[in-house]
Amino acid sequence: MKINEAAKFLNTTAKTLRFYESKGLITPEKDETNQYRHYTENDLYRISTILALREIGVSLGDIKTLLDQPNLSMNHYLDIQRSALFEQWIEIRDMIGTIDRMIEADNNSVDNIHELASHLKNLKDIRSKWQDRWNFDGQAIDYDENIKKEGHAFNVHEGYDEGLATVEELVNPQSDDVVLDIGIGTGNLGSRFLKNGAHVIGVDQSEKMLEICHQKHPAIETRKGHFLALPLMDYSVDIIVSSYALHHLPDDEKLLALGEMNRVLKESGQLCIADLMFENKRHRNQVIENYHNTGNQVAVEVIDDEYFADKSLLVTYLIENGFVVETMQFNDILGLIFAKK
Ligand SMILES: C[S@@+](CC[C@H](N)C(=O)[O-])C[C@H]1O[C@@H](n2cnc3c(N)ncnc32)[C@H](O)[C@@H]1O
């Protein structure tokens, strides 16, 4: 096909095709005598892929990377793009919400507008500053082997099996329910619901963890994503579970994460989190003091390094947002929150 025919066939313009060529995305054959371009079936297929990826916001540079690496799967790439778009969408939603509040504010003073703008800036900063300090990609391959439940000065995984089994018992999904496991890791919690016939979606920020999860449990739908920008539409899941993941976010971020869970959870949905948490500030101080007194400095350092939750803060947030909440504490550091919307 010549350039005008190809453009017409693909519902685009000859200028666009020449532009993609100038960026090295396509290299149609050229007639040696008159320099007319000739587009083969393969070229047309490649261009329609480029056009589709442009439509969903992928940059030309990223498209080139994808097309130049035949081993990179399209679905993998689309998953990354979906995750990025959800982050942008949530940021835009926050911006629109702030504009609404600015317009609604009774006293539309500069101070008021400034306060709302700084609140928005704070939100943006919180959402963008999270970093994987623990290198979960690096941990993925032997994560399951490294879950040590005994034999260490401080076992963060003491009670791991009991915690996960209790989540499983409490939520008990119906067949066809959508169950979302956030921070799914290698799938140890989410996979428990496959036998109920539930559709299990595992979200994780670590692509390597998702890869292992997929190898172990191909029936789980894995999605790259973040606690603070879940890659799911509003009111789209029946049950949310999470184990040993939320404590990688500081407490203010945990409340934003609960907001995200509330957004994607259907009315009457259930939420169950088993994680490292203290009852409240006093309990935290008591536990740390006990470790000090028994000379367990490792425990004190680990607690300082991670963000073991203050359960009372999470419970207060959930109750204020219309959930009915039950809690449990398995040992000094492992707790559970079960909430119904
Ligand atoms: C300790 S592993 C727990 C994995 C699994 N839930 C389990 O119980 O064995 C923590 C997981 O949470 C994920 N994670 C940590 N912070 C996250 C965040 N902000 N958003 C999404 N996933 C996160 C990590 O990538 C990792 O896979």
Side-chain angles (χ1 to χ4, degrees):
M1 261 185 211
K2 299 225 177 72
I3 191 162
N4 284 328
E5 290 167 326
K8 194 165 172 210
F9 179 76
L10 294 162
N11 203 13
T12 183
T13 62
K15 192 174 164 201
T16 304
L17 298 188
R18 279 193 291 269
F19 177 63
Y20 291 162
E21 192 180 320
S22 73
K23 296 286 168 196
L25 287 164
I26 43 171
T27 43
E29 276 175 24
K30 285 190 185 160
D31 189 314
E32 279 179 11
T33 48
N34 57 20
Q35 290 297 300
Y36 282 174
R37 293 166 176 84
H38 175 72
Y39 294 85
T40 62
E41 212 167 291
N42 270 351
D43 291 331
L44 295 178
Y45 179 76
R46 191 173 165 99
I47 298 164
S48 56
T49 308
I50 298 169
L51 290 167
L53 290 172
R54 287 298 292 147
E55 210 56 57
I56 56 165
V58 184
S59 72
L60 289 178
D62 285 351
I63 293 176
K64 190 158 174 6
T65 310
L66 177 65
L67 295 180
D68 287 349
Q69 294 180 42
N71 292 339
L72 206 63
S73 98
M74 178 68 85
N75 273 1
H76 173 84
Y77 201 81
L78 290 175
D79 188 34
I80 295 173
Q81 178 67 1
R82 174 174 55 196
S83 162
L85 286 180
F86 265 105
E87 282 179 22
Q88 286 173 25
W89 177 49
I90 281 157
E91 190 174 322
I92 289 172
R93 183 206 60 187
D94 288 347
M95 286 159 77
I96 294 173
T98 304
I99 293 175
D100 281 346
R101 279 191 291 282
M102 284 174 172
I103 292 172
E104 276 162 20
D106 278 350
N107 170 10
N108 209 334
S109 70
V110 175
D111 281 354
N112 222 329
I113 286 180
H114 180 72
E115 195 183 315
L116 286 164
S118 0
H119 175 69
L120 177 66
K121 183 172 181 321
N122 190 30
L123 266 185
K124 282 187 191 174
D125 288 348
I126 289 179
R127 289 195 195 285
S128 61
K129 82 173 182 230
W130 190 90
Q131 279 186 343
D132 182 355
R133 294 197 284 112
W134 300 267
N135 183 18
F136 283 110
D137 276 346
Q139 288 191 34
I141 193 80
D142 42 24
Y143 173 77
D144 284 345
E145 268 171 45
N146 286 342
I147 301 177
K148 298 274 187 312
K149 298 157 196 163
E150 53 202 28
H152 280 265
F154 183 52
N155 284 314
V156 284
H157 287 108
E158 189 188 333
Y160 180 83
D161 295 330
E162 190 189 357
L164 270 56
T166 309
V167 175
E168 182 184 358
E169 250 167 56
L170 286 169
V171 298
N172 195 22
Q174 306 295 302
S175 125
D176 294 334
D177 272 357
V178 177
V179 177
L180 167 66
D181 182 350
I182 314 175
I184 189 166
T186 57
N188 295 341
L189 178 60
S191 60
R192 292 170 181 246
F193 307 106
L194 292 171
K195 61 178 180 296
N196 300 50
H199 176 64
V200 179
I201 302 177
V203 167
D204 205 291
Q205 58 85 36
S206 158
E207 288 175 35
K208 285 277 177 265
M209 284 285 190
L210 292 176
E211 226 175 278
I212 307 272
C213 178
H214 178 71
Q215 282 162 15
K216 282 173 65 188
H217 311 287
I220 294 181
E221 181 191 337
T222 52
R223 296 189 182 199
K224 182 173 165 67
H226 200 282
F227 266 112
L228 300 180
L230 293 173
L232 288 127
M233 292 296 179
D234 297 356
Y235 308 113
S236 57
V237 307
D238 300 281
I239 292 171
I240 298 179
V241 295
S242 184
S243 57
Y244 288 82
L246 192 61
H247 73 277
H248 296 100
L249 282 76
D251 278 348
D252 54 348
E253 296 184 26
K254 287 191 190 84
L255 298 186
L256 283 184
L258 288 183
E260 270 298 275
M261 296 183 208
N262 196 10
R263 174 180 74 75
V264 303
L265 193 60
K266 289 182 190 169
E267 289 306 331
S268 325
Q270 301 174 16
L271 166 63
C272 197
I273 302 170
D275 213 321
L276 300 172
M277 55 177 88
F278 300 108
E279 297 283 6
N280 48 37
K281 244 188 187 153
R282 222 179 80 210
H283 180 220
R284 178 193 166 92
N285 291 340
Q286 256 172 17
V287 173
I288 293 182
E289 198 181 315
N290 285 347
Y291 284 127
H292 256 308
N293 293 342
T294 52
N296 193 340
Q297 208 44 38
V298 177
V300 176
E301 277 163 22
V302 174
I303 293 171
D304 263 355
D305 180 55
E306 307 206 352
Y307 311 105
F308 290 29
D310 176 338
K311 198 198 282 174
S312 69
L313 283 182
L314 306 186
V315 168
T316 304
Y317 176 93
L318 288 166
I319 292 173
E320 280 174 4
N321 283 278
F323 285 81
V324 177
V325 185
E326 283 171 45
T327 67
M328 290 178 199
Q329 194 71 26
F330 298 100
N331 55 41
D332 274 346
I333 53 170
L334 178 63
L336 179 145
I337 294 176
F338 179 43
K340 291 188 187 162
K341 192 166 173 178

PDB file of all heavy atoms in Angstrom, residues 139-155:
ATOM      1  N   GLN A 139      13.677  -9.509  46.813  1.00  0.00           N
ATOM      2  CA  GLN A 139      13.263 -10.531  47.795  1.00  0.00           C
ATOM      3  C   GLN A 139      12.387 -11.617  47.192  1.00  0.00           C
ATOM      4  O   GLN A 139      12.229 -12.691  47.765  1.00  0.00           O
ATOM      5  CB  GLN A 139      12.432  -9.876  48.906  1.00  0.00           C
ATOM      6  CG  GLN A 139      13.177  -9.017  49.877  1.00  0.00           C
ATOM      7  CD  GLN A 139      12.258  -8.678  51.059  1.00  0.00           C
ATOM      8  OE1 GLN A 139      11.421  -9.473  51.468  1.00  0.00           O
ATOM      9  NE2 GLN A 139      12.417  -7.482  51.600  1.00  0.00           N
ATOM     10  N   ALA A 140      11.794 -11.304  46.001  1.00  0.00           N
ATOM     11  CA  ALA A 140      10.697 -12.141  45.498  1.00  0.00           C
ATOM     12  C   ALA A 140      11.066 -13.613  45.347  1.00  0.00           C
ATOM     13  O   ALA A 140      10.335 -14.490  45.806  1.00  0.00           O
ATOM     14  CB  ALA A 140      10.184 -11.581  44.173  1.00  0.00           C
ATOM     15  N   ILE A 141      12.223 -13.864  44.740  1.00  0.00           N
ATOM     16  CA  ILE A 141      12.558 -15.225  44.342  1.00  0.00           C
ATOM     17  C   ILE A 141      12.589 -16.192  45.526  1.00  0.00           C
ATOM     18  O   ILE A 141      12.123 -17.324  45.426  1.00  0.00           O
ATOM     19  CB  ILE A 141      13.884 -15.266  43.515  1.00  0.00           C
ATOM     20  CG1 ILE A 141      14.064 -16.603  42.835  1.00  0.00           C
ATOM     21  CG2 ILE A 141      15.085 -14.892  44.306  1.00  0.00           C
ATOM     22  CD1 ILE A 141      13.275 -16.741  41.575  1.00  0.00           C
ATOM     23  N   ASP A 142      13.112 -15.729  46.689  1.00  0.00           N
ATOM     24  CA  ASP A 142      13.103 -16.665  47.818  1.00  0.00           C
ATOM     25  C   ASP A 142      12.283 -16.156  49.002  1.00  0.00           C
ATOM     26  O   ASP A 142      12.543 -16.515  50.146  1.00  0.00           O
ATOM     27  CB  ASP A 142      14.520 -17.090  48.224  1.00  0.00           C
ATOM     28  CG  ASP A 142      15.506 -15.946  48.215  1.00  0.00           C
ATOM     29  OD1 ASP A 142      15.052 -14.791  48.356  1.00  0.00           O
ATOM     30  OD2 ASP A 142      16.697 -16.188  48.050  1.00  0.00           O
ATOM     31  N   TYR A 143      11.290 -15.341  48.677  1.00  0.00           N
ATOM     32  CA  TYR A 143      10.431 -14.806  49.752  1.00  0.00           C
ATOM     33  C   TYR A 143       9.796 -15.938  50.573  1.00  0.00           C
ATOM     34  O   TYR A 143       9.853 -15.936  51.807  1.00  0.00           O
ATOM     35  CB  TYR A 143       9.343 -13.897  49.154  1.00  0.00           C
ATOM     36  CG  TYR A 143       8.332 -13.447  50.196  1.00  0.00           C
ATOM     37  CD1 TYR A 143       8.638 -12.435  51.098  1.00  0.00           C
ATOM     38  CD2 TYR A 143       7.084 -14.067  50.298  1.00  0.00           C
ATOM     39  CE1 TYR A 143       7.734 -12.046  52.076  1.00  0.00           C
ATOM     40  CE2 TYR A 143       6.174 -13.682  51.268  1.00  0.00           C
ATOM     41  CZ  TYR A 143       6.501 -12.675  52.154  1.00  0.00           C
ATOM     42  OH  TYR A 143       5.605 -12.298  53.122  1.00  0.00           O
ATOM     43  N   ASP A 144       9.220 -16.923  49.878  1.00  0.00           N
ATOM     44  CA  ASP A 144       8.508 -17.986  50.606  1.00  0.00           C
ATOM     45  C   ASP A 144       9.445 -18.740  51.552  1.00  0.00           C
ATOM     46  O   ASP A 144       9.074 -19.066  52.670  1.00  0.00           O
ATOM     47  CB  ASP A 144       7.843 -18.974  49.633  1.00  0.00           C
ATOM     48  CG  ASP A 144       6.582 -18.368  49.013  1.00  0.00           C
ATOM     49  OD1 ASP A 144       6.098 -17.342  49.539  1.00  0.00           O
ATOM     50  OD2 ASP A 144       6.104 -18.899  47.995  1.00  0.00           O
ATOM     51  N   GLU A 145      10.665 -18.986  51.062  1.00  0.00           N
ATOM     52  CA  GLU A 145      11.636 -19.718  51.902  1.00  0.00           C
ATOM     53  C   GLU A 145      12.065 -18.892  53.107  1.00  0.00           C
ATOM     54  O   GLU A 145      12.420 -19.429  54.143  1.00  0.00           O
ATOM     55  CB  GLU A 145      12.903 -19.994  51.097  1.00  0.00           C
ATOM     56  CG  GLU A 145      12.889 -21.321  50.395  1.00  0.00           C
ATOM     57  CD  GLU A 145      14.073 -21.420  49.460  1.00  0.00           C
ATOM     58  OE1 GLU A 145      15.191 -21.059  49.863  1.00  0.00           O
ATOM     59  OE2 GLU A 145      13.826 -21.823  48.309  1.00  0.00           O
ATOM     60  N   ASN A 146      12.056 -17.585  52.920  1.00  0.00           N
ATOM     61  CA  ASN A 146      12.584 -16.730  53.997  1.00  0.00           C
ATOM     62  C   ASN A 146      11.563 -16.349  55.051  1.00  0.00           C
ATOM     63  O   ASN A 146      11.873 -15.565  55.943  1.00  0.00           O
ATOM     64  CB  ASN A 146      13.189 -15.457  53.390  1.00  0.00           C
ATOM     65  CG  ASN A 146      14.505 -15.766  52.718  1.00  0.00           C
ATOM     66  OD1 ASN A 146      15.106 -16.809  52.990  1.00  0.00           O
ATOM     67  ND2 ASN A 146      14.943 -14.906  51.823  1.00  0.00           N
ATOM     68  N   ILE A 147      10.340 -16.862  54.912  1.00  0.00           N
ATOM     69  CA  ILE A 147       9.368 -16.555  55.965  1.00  0.00           C
ATOM     70  C   ILE A 147       9.737 -17.418  57.171  1.00  0.00           C
ATOM     71  O   ILE A 147       9.380 -18.584  57.249  1.00  0.00           O
ATOM     72  CB  ILE A 147       7.922 -16.863  55.516  1.00  0.00           C
ATOM     73  CG1 ILE A 147       7.585 -16.041  54.274  1.00  0.00           C
ATOM     74  CG2 ILE A 147       6.939 -16.557  56.623  1.00  0.00           C
ATOM     75  CD1 ILE A 147       6.216 -16.332  53.710  1.00  0.00           C
ATOM     76  N   LYS A 148      10.497 -16.815  58.081  1.00  0.00           N
ATOM     77  CA  LYS A 148      10.983 -17.580  59.247  1.00  0.00           C
ATOM     78  C   LYS A 148      10.029 -17.334  60.410  1.00  0.00           C
ATOM     79  O   LYS A 148       9.845 -16.202  60.838  1.00  0.00           O
ATOM     80  CB  LYS A 148      12.378 -17.091  59.641  1.00  0.00           C
ATOM     81  CG  LYS A 148      13.420 -17.285  58.559  1.00  0.00           C
ATOM     82  CD  LYS A 148      14.019 -18.686  58.636  1.00  0.00           C
ATOM     83  CE  LYS A 148      15.188 -18.890  57.704  1.00  0.00           C
ATOM     84  NZ  LYS A 148      15.023 -18.464  56.332  1.00  0.00           N
ATOM     85  N   LYS A 149       9.437 -18.423  60.868  1.00  0.00           N
ATOM     86  CA  LYS A 149       8.450 -18.253  61.933  1.00  0.00           C
ATOM     87  C   LYS A 149       9.043 -18.530  63.314  1.00  0.00           C
ATOM     88  O   LYS A 149       8.432 -18.313  64.322  1.00  0.00           O
ATOM     89  CB  LYS A 149       7.254 -19.167  61.665  1.00  0.00           C
ATOM     90  CG  LYS A 149       6.575 -18.789  60.357  1.00  0.00           C
ATOM     91  CD  LYS A 149       5.785 -19.932  59.777  1.00  0.00           C
ATOM     92  CE  LYS A 149       5.477 -19.627  58.319  1.00  0.00           C
ATOM     93  NZ  LYS A 149       5.066 -20.810  57.579  1.00  0.00           N
ATOM     94  N   GLU A 150      10.245 -19.094  63.328  1.00  0.00           N
ATOM     95  CA  GLU A 150      10.893 -19.351  64.616  1.00  0.00           C
ATOM     96  C   GLU A 150      12.405 -19.298  64.469  1.00  0.00           C
ATOM     97  O   GLU A 150      12.928 -19.231  63.349  1.00  0.00           O
ATOM     98  CB  GLU A 150      10.463 -20.715  65.162  1.00  0.00           C
ATOM     99  CG  GLU A 150      10.682 -21.824  64.174  1.00  0.00           C
ATOM    100  CD  GLU A 150       9.801 -23.033  64.488  1.00  0.00           C
ATOM    101  OE1 GLU A 150       8.714 -22.843  65.070  1.00  0.00           O
ATOM    102  OE2 GLU A 150      10.234 -24.131  64.176  1.00  0.00           O
ATOM    103  N   GLY A 151      13.096 -19.300  65.630  1.00  0.00           N
ATOM    104  CA  GLY A 151      14.553 -19.418  65.615  1.00  0.00           C
ATOM    105  C   GLY A 151      15.292 -18.107  65.409  1.00  0.00           C
ATOM    106  O   GLY A 151      16.455 -18.112  65.094  1.00  0.00           O
ATOM    107  N   HIS A 152      14.596 -16.962  65.538  1.00  0.00           N
ATOM    108  CA  HIS A 152      15.283 -15.677  65.419  1.00  0.00           C
ATOM    109  C   HIS A 152      14.987 -14.845  66.664  1.00  0.00           C
ATOM    110  O   HIS A 152      13.986 -15.069  67.331  1.00  0.00           O
ATOM    111  CB  HIS A 152      14.772 -14.909  64.202  1.00  0.00           C
ATOM    112  CG  HIS A 152      15.397 -15.383  62.930  1.00  0.00           C
ATOM    113  ND1 HIS A 152      16.488 -14.787  62.370  1.00  0.00           N
ATOM    114  CD2 HIS A 152      15.076 -16.420  62.137  1.00  0.00           C
ATOM    115  CE1 HIS A 152      16.823 -15.434  61.268  1.00  0.00           C
ATOM    116  NE2 HIS A 152      15.972 -16.435  61.101  1.00  0.00           N
ATOM    117  N   ALA A 153      15.868 -13.876  66.906  1.00  0.00           N
ATOM    118  CA  ALA A 153      15.660 -13.031  68.087  1.00  0.00           C
ATOM    119  C   ALA A 153      14.303 -12.331  67.999  1.00  0.00           C
ATOM    120  O   ALA A 153      13.631 -12.113  68.998  1.00  0.00           O
ATOM    121  CB  ALA A 153      16.775 -11.998  68.153  1.00  0.00           C
ATOM    122  N   PHE A 154      13.909 -11.992  66.782  1.00  0.00           N
ATOM    123  CA  PHE A 154      12.633 -11.298  66.603  1.00  0.00           C
ATOM    124  C   PHE A 154      11.968 -11.828  65.346  1.00  0.00           C
ATOM    125  O   PHE A 154      12.464 -11.626  64.239  1.00  0.00           O
ATOM    126  CB  PHE A 154      12.899  -9.795  66.461  1.00  0.00           C
ATOM    127  CG  PHE A 154      11.652  -8.981  66.345  1.00  0.00           C
ATOM    128  CD1 PHE A 154      10.621  -9.114  67.279  1.00  0.00           C
ATOM    129  CD2 PHE A 154      11.493  -8.069  65.317  1.00  0.00           C
ATOM    130  CE1 PHE A 154       9.468  -8.351  67.179  1.00  0.00           C
ATOM    131  CE2 PHE A 154      10.344  -7.300  65.215  1.00  0.00           C
ATOM    132  CZ  PHE A 154       9.328  -7.445  66.150  1.00  0.00           C
ATOM    133  N   ASN A 155      10.873 -12.538  65.523  1.00  0.00           N
ATOM    134  CA  ASN A 155      10.187 -13.137  64.372  1.00  0.00           C
ATOM    135  C   ASN A 155       8.983 -12.299  63.988  1.00  0.00           C
ATOM    136  O   ASN A 155       7.930 -12.396  64.610  1.00  0.00           O
ATOM    137  CB  ASN A 155       9.707 -14.548  64.720  1.00  0.00           C
ATOM    138  CG  ASN A 155      10.847 -15.523  64.708  1.00  0.00           C
ATOM    139  OD1 ASN A 155      11.658 -15.514  63.784  1.00  0.00           O
ATOM    140  ND2 ASN A 155      10.921 -16.339  65.725  1.00  0.00           N
TER     141      ASN A 155
END
